Amino acid sequence: MHNIYGNQMKLLAVLEVRTENYEKWTTFLCFRKAKLCSLMFGILIMLLVMVSYILTVDKLGLLLTPLPFQSKINNSGSMNTGSFNHDADGGRYFTPNTSNTKNYSRIKISTDLITSKIEFGTREVPDLEELVKQEPHVFSVIPKTFLPNRRNPCWYEEYTGNVTTDPYRTNSFGLYSKSFRATFEYLKKVFWNHLQHNGNKHYRFRCLPYFYIIGQPKCGTTDLYNRLRLHPEIRFSTSKEPHWWTRKRFGIGRFREGVRERYPVEDYLDLFDLAAHQIQDPDSGNLSEDSHKKYDIIIGEASASTMWDNNAWIYFYKNSANGEPPILIQDFIHAFHPNAKLIVMLRDPVERLYSDYLYFAIANKSVDDFHEKVIESLQLFQSCLLDSTLRSCVYNSTLNNAMPVRLHIGLYVVYLLDWLTVFSWDQILILRLEDHASNLKRTMYTVFQFLNLGPLTEQQEALITRRPASNTRRPQDKSLGPMLSYTKRILQEFYRPFNKKVSQVLNDHAFLWNKEN
């Protein structure tokens, strides 16, 4: 009996232990299930976020998918997605495999989308009061009227220094450039001799340019500038490209260097002192024949950024509702000198872009690298157009600084139409680099006529027209050869609607650049 009772007690103990273990195990399983469910839920949320991000980025055309026609090179050096061939002109073009057809279609869709978003809207020109509000000091220095009977916008301003004062000591251009300092050292020595004295007061002769070569970069402006410098009736600023209106006025040298102290307008006017001394009449009561010739001299300025570079506006002007700059460079130039003459040199924008790429000292430059940078820039530009106006994207400093190549500079018609909002047609001369290269004499005659310059002797004409071309491609860049043919075709698609609009505005089919393409 005792054994039976003892066995029952042992059985109950075992059952109790097993029940306790079962309850613990059940609790553990529930905990594991809860933890697993939480993990699965977290993964699901993460997947949903990733899918949403991918769809959003894909909408903007920024997916990190293989670039169209991008060549893949295996370890043996052979192409595994297609092959390079040579056309009749010696240009290289890439024949993709069928797997790249989707990529080509993607870029074609991208350029078509950009074309569909192009709207050449009009801009609202700011009134004079708004301009004065933005630049009160400049308006206090430059007078509203200039000296009569002079082609240049010149005036006299009172000088409060004495004979020992260095008028160029604080000039910002001189502080950052040795060449400027050398010129200012010379001007300092002769400065007092060119002052007009009236009792105890002294007056210095000041001038703004009569004409501006306003653009575009890599379009032959340096060559035109160097030829015009040889004309006996033309003088230029101390430096070819002071970039004062577009950059130095805001304290910007290079955007990657940030903003420093702004260059005052007096520093800009100092750049024309050398020219002003040559046209100043030292004796207003006795005009000799030589003095009359001095009146014929005109002053020019040749910053190729003037036409297009409004990148600084977003840092200094109140942002507008549509993201477009409320004030452009031409608004100020027109306000100070409404009769200014403007010269624009343009070039096939496709070739201009490649020349621009070769000009800058970029490591590992190649035609393939250029192609990849073009595609990335196209994607960024397309993304901007999805939410912004064309003008907003063209003048968007953040976008322009982010694009690996400067696509926007070749959108000539946008800038041209904006300049025509304040200046008249007869004040703007538009040239093509292709015409300048093929018939130099005709181009120079056109410029001389536009600037109302006098006739030249045969020797002077020969000196100007026979001068070797300036600013040609560097030897190390020539070895790269032309851009890849498929890159060229993509860029032609992108620029075609803009070239068409330029051609319509100017009523000249040459600006389609069909023959050169």
Side-chain angles (χ1 to χ4, degrees):
M1 188 72 175
H2 174 75
N3 290 336
I4 295 174
Y5 178 77
N7 290 337
Q8 289 178 343
M9 291 298 292
K10 290 180 180 178
L11 179 61
L12 290 174
V14 170
L15 289 175
E16 184 176 354
V17 170
R18 288 183 177 180
T19 302
E20 181 180 355
N21 290 338
Y22 177 77
E23 290 176 351
K24 290 182 179 179
W25 179 251
T26 303
T27 303
F28 176 73
L29 287 178
C30 291
F31 176 76
R32 287 288 301 272
K33 287 182 180 179
K35 188 174 181 181
L36 182 63
C37 290
S38 299
L39 179 63
M40 293 298 295
F41 181 74
I43 292 174
L44 179 62
I45 294 297
M46 186 182 299
L47 288 173
L48 289 174
V49 171
M50 289 178 64
V51 170
S52 175
Y53 173 77
I54 291 172
L55 291 175
T56 302
V57 176
D58 189 44
K59 178 183 177 183
L60 297 176
L62 298 175
L63 273 177
L64 299 177
T65 54
L67 295 174
F69 307 98
Q70 184 175 7
S71 56
K72 304 289 184 181
I73 305 178
N74 57 29
N75 293 331
S76 65
S78 61
M79 301 291 177
N80 59 20
T81 59
S83 59
F84 282 103
N85 297 282
H86 296 272
D87 56 26
D89 298 326
R92 298 171 70 203
Y93 65 92
F94 185 72
T95 304
N97 292 333
T98 54
S99 60
N100 267 347
T101 304
K102 181 179 179 180
N103 291 330
Y104 175 77
S105 301
R106 184 184 184 86
I107 287 299
K108 187 66 172 67
I109 292 172
S110 178
T111 54
D112 289 344
L113 177 61
I114 291 173
T115 301
S116 68
K117 297 288 290 183
I118 295 174
E119 293 182 5
F120 300 101
T122 57
R123 65 179 289 258
E124 183 178 347
V125 179
D127 56 29
L128 182 61
E129 182 180 350
E130 180 62 25
L131 297 178
V132 174
K133 181 180 178 182
Q134 294 294 338
E135 293 284 0
H137 178 69
V138 182
F139 278 92
S140 69
V141 173
I142 300 177
K144 295 180 180 179
T145 58
F146 305 113
L147 293 172
N149 303 321
R150 295 178 186 265
R151 299 178 65 187
N152 297 277
C154 299
W155 68 96
Y156 281 101
E157 71 174 24
E158 185 175 356
Y159 179 68
T160 57
N162 56 44
V163 69
T164 62
T165 305
D166 180 1
Y168 307 105
R169 182 177 60 85
T170 61
N171 186 287
S172 302
F173 288 96
L175 294 176
Y176 294 103
S177 169
K178 291 182 179 179
S179 61
F180 281 116
R181 285 198 295 272
T183 303
F184 291 149
E185 278 297 318
Y186 165 76
L187 289 172
K188 181 178 65 174
K189 295 176 182 178
V190 301
F191 182 80
W192 193 259
N193 297 331
H194 289 278
L195 293 179
Q196 291 288 319
H197 308 283
N198 185 4
N200 294 327
K201 292 187 176 182
H202 314 289
Y203 299 89
R204 67 188 298 186
F205 193 64
R206 288 291 210 180
C207 292
L208 280 172
Y210 170 79
F211 73 96
Y212 297 82
I213 300 176
I214 63 174
Q216 291 286 62
K218 311 313 298 177
C219 291
T221 56
T222 298
D223 186 73
L224 179 63
Y225 162 80
N226 284 329
R227 296 182 192 281
L228 287 176
R229 287 178 62 195
L230 301 175
H231 197 288
E233 296 179 21
I234 293 180
R235 302 291 184 273
F236 276 97
S237 55
T238 302
S239 170
K240 172 184 178 283
E241 296 188 280
H243 298 296
W244 185 79
W245 291 103
T246 55
R247 300 169 191 171
K248 303 300 195 321
R249 180 165 59 97
F250 302 102
I252 296 173
R254 295 180 176 89
F255 276 93
R256 65 175 179 269
E257 297 174 354
V259 178
R260 55 195 182 200
E261 189 174 350
R262 300 176 70 163
Y263 289 33
V265 66
E266 291 90 344
D267 291 2
Y268 177 63
L269 295 174
D270 286 348
L271 303 184
F272 304 102
D273 276 4
L274 189 61
H277 289 173
Q278 296 181 51
I279 66 175
Q280 180 183 359
D281 175 25
D283 183 3
S284 58
N286 246 334
L287 290 181
S288 63
E289 182 179 349
D290 185 59
S291 296
H292 279 293
K293 289 182 179 179
K294 290 181 179 180
Y295 284 123
D296 293 331
I297 293 176
I298 59 175
I299 302 175
E301 201 250 73
S303 298
S305 64
T306 305
M307 182 176 181
W308 64 271
D309 191 353
N310 282 276
N311 285 332
W313 77 269
I314 198 168
Y315 303 124
F316 296 94
Y317 300 149
K318 184 179 179 181
N319 199 358
S320 57
N322 57 2
E324 298 180 4
I327 301 174
L328 297 177
I329 302 303
Q330 52 264 42
D331 298 325
F332 285 109
I333 295 179
H334 182 267
F336 297 123
H337 187 201
N339 297 320
K341 287 184 173 289
L342 313 166
I343 300 175
V344 179
M345 184 84 89
L346 302 180
R347 175 187 189 180
D348 178 355
V350 177
E351 297 298 334
R352 193 220 70 80
L353 185 66
Y354 189 50
S355 180
D356 200 43
Y357 166 81
L358 294 176
Y359 174 77
F360 290 100
I362 304 171
N364 302 318
K365 284 186 288 189
S366 69
V367 291
D368 299 286
D369 178 67
F370 175 67
H371 176 78
E372 293 177 7
K373 285 179 168 55
V374 165
I375 301 304
E376 184 179 346
S377 298
L378 283 171
Q379 290 174 332
L380 290 170
F381 194 78
Q382 173 197 333
S383 175
C384 181
L385 283 178
L386 289 176
D387 301 309
S388 305
T389 65
L390 174 61
R391 183 179 289 105
S392 176
C393 292
V394 168
Y395 294 127
N396 187 323
S397 60
T398 303
L399 172 66
N400 295 341
N401 292 327
M403 288 196 296
V405 290
R406 304 192 295 179
L407 286 171
H408 59 291
I409 296 180
L411 306 180
Y412 306 138
V413 67
V414 178
Y415 308 112
L416 180 59
L417 290 174
D418 283 347
W419 278 85
L420 286 170
T421 59
V422 289
F423 286 97
S424 61
W425 276 108
D426 60 349
Q427 293 177 262
I428 305 178
L429 175 64
I430 303 172
L431 306 169
R432 293 195 328 148
L433 174 60
E434 293 83 1
D435 299 330
H436 179 67
S438 64
N439 196 331
L440 180 61
K441 285 188 176 181
R442 180 183 296 176
T443 300
M444 297 312 298
Y445 279 138
T446 302
V447 175
F448 297 156
Q449 186 177 11
F450 175 71
L451 296 176
N452 299 315
L453 296 172
L456 295 171
T457 65
E458 291 184 5
Q459 293 80 3
Q460 291 171 334
E461 180 184 309
L463 179 65
I464 293 174
T465 57
R466 293 176 188 173
R467 177 189 175 92
S470 304
N471 211 11
T472 56
R473 187 183 296 185
R474 292 171 294 202
Q476 61 268 34
D477 294 333
K478 290 182 179 180
S479 62
L480 293 180
M483 74 183 80
L484 300 174
S485 295
Y486 58 83
T487 311
K488 189 173 186 178
R489 289 198 296 270
I490 290 171
L491 287 171
Q492 287 171 345
E493 287 289 328
F494 171 70
Y495 284 117
R496 182 172 289 115
F498 299 98
N499 294 343
K500 182 178 179 181
K501 185 65 174 180
V502 172
S503 174
Q504 293 172 348
V505 171
L506 301 179
N507 193 27
D508 189 343
H509 292 297
F511 288 91
L512 292 171
W513 281 284
N514 283 336
K515 292 182 180 180
E516 288 75 29
N517 293 344

